[in-house]
Amino acid sequence: MRPYLKFLSALAANNSKEWMDDNKKWYLDSREEFIEDVAVMLKGVEAFEPAMATFKPKDCIFRINRDVRFSANKNPYKNNFSAYFSAKGKKVEWPGYYVHVQPGASFIGGGLWMPSSHSLKKIRREIDYSGAELKKILESKAIAEVYTGIEGEKLKTSPRDYDADHEFIEFLKLKSFILSKPMTDQDINSGNFINVALDGFQRMKPFQEFLSRAIEDVEDGSGIL
């Protein structure tokens, strides 16, 4: 059993600085347990993303503190542990693989969430040119067996410069490009989620490559609008 699920459940019921201060050792022990699982996942990701070989587990893990400045929810801490495996690091806008552990709400995912307007414009251009390729990737057996399709907020109308009857208008309307799969508490507690995550990540690699190609700035300037 993953003890950090117990910690996260307790934190959700007692989300305050006072409680965290009183349970700091429990938090640090739980975080270390999660880091150990992330280390195993990172090693597995390196097998199909060699650029990750230079990363350490702590490079991939998000802080538990929330930024409450612009949020109606003033709870100081997240109720989850999470990590992002990306060849350019979690602070750079680049496609990657995500694991989110939260009692009753765990999942794995990957892609790009709410890319900048600059990157979004480039992804839409790639879809305009190569939408059939993206469709083929998403309909492939490897992806369709695990994921139900791209998730993410959409525009209500067609984006500027694209006709409403464009063959791939539903892709072009997207503002995020995410594949995800839910996981149960049993998956987490048994440790099976590590294998599930690695299998799911490897399956979505062609999707990641499509997005990476779209937003990459090449030296000759051809990737710059």
Side-chain angles (χ1 to χ4, degrees):
M1 177 175 287
R2 265 42 184 182
Y4 51 72
L5 274 190
K6 290 184 178 180
F7 168 79
L8 291 171
S9 292
L11 174 60
N14 303 276
N15 201 315
S16 70
K17 185 177 184 304
E18 292 76 18
W19 185 88
M20 183 67 92
D21 287 345
D22 289 341
N23 292 274
K24 186 173 182 180
K25 184 179 186 305
W26 191 10
Y27 162 64
L28 292 175
D29 289 345
S30 298
R31 183 174 184 271
E32 193 59 37
E33 290 159 357
F34 181 65
I35 289 173
E36 290 174 4
D37 282 346
V38 169
V40 176
M41 283 187 277
L42 178 58
K43 196 67 179 176
V45 170
E46 289 174 17
F48 52 91
E49 293 288 0
M52 296 296 301
T54 60
F55 286 74
K56 297 178 180 178
K58 289 183 180 180
D59 297 328
C60 306
I61 293 173
F62 289 103
R63 297 178 62 205
I64 201 167
N65 301 75
R66 294 182 63 249
D67 183 350
V68 301
R69 291 175 299 172
F70 308 106
S71 175
N73 178 1
K74 297 302 181 182
N75 287 341
Y77 306 107
K78 302 171 187 173
N79 295 329
N80 66 78
F81 286 144
S82 59
Y84 191 60
F85 306 94
S86 171
K88 296 196 176 183
K90 65 178 186 288
K91 294 183 180 180
V92 176
E93 185 175 70
W94 195 255
Y97 310 92
Y98 179 74
V99 60
H100 180 105
V101 174
Q102 180 178 350
S106 299
F107 66 92
I108 60 167
L112 269 177
W113 182 76
M114 295 298 288
S116 66
S117 58
H118 178 65
S119 292
L120 184 56
K121 187 173 183 180
K122 294 165 77 173
I123 293 170
R124 286 176 174 156
R125 183 181 65 178
E126 190 68 24
I127 291 171
D128 185 29
Y129 293 162
S130 307
E133 179 187 348
L134 178 58
K135 183 173 184 289
K136 184 177 179 180
I137 289 170
L138 294 172
E139 291 178 350
S140 68
K141 182 179 179 181
I143 286 182
E145 282 182 341
V146 175
Y147 304 105
T148 57
I150 295 184
E151 303 171 14
E153 185 181 347
K154 280 187 175 184
L155 295 172
K156 293 182 179 179
T157 59
S158 58
R160 186 190 306 177
D161 301 327
Y162 296 101
D163 295 332
D165 62 353
H166 191 289
E167 182 179 3
F168 303 109
I169 191 61
E170 294 307 312
F171 290 156
L172 291 167
K173 286 181 180 179
L174 286 163
K175 298 165 71 175
S176 289
F177 301 84
I178 299 295
L179 299 178
S180 74
K181 172 183 172 58
M183 293 187 296
T184 66
D185 289 354
Q186 184 178 354
D187 289 330
I188 306 299
N189 282 329
S190 68
N192 186 51
F193 82 99
I194 295 176
N195 291 328
V196 171
L198 291 174
D199 176 67
F201 293 162
Q202 189 163 14
R203 286 170 181 263
M204 72 166 71
K205 183 171 170 59
F207 175 65
Q208 304 278 29
E209 291 174 338
F210 182 93
L211 295 174
S212 299
R213 185 181 76 217
I215 67 174
E216 185 174 21
D217 288 324
V218 296
E219 291 184 359
D220 65 3
S222 61
I224 303 175
L225 297 177

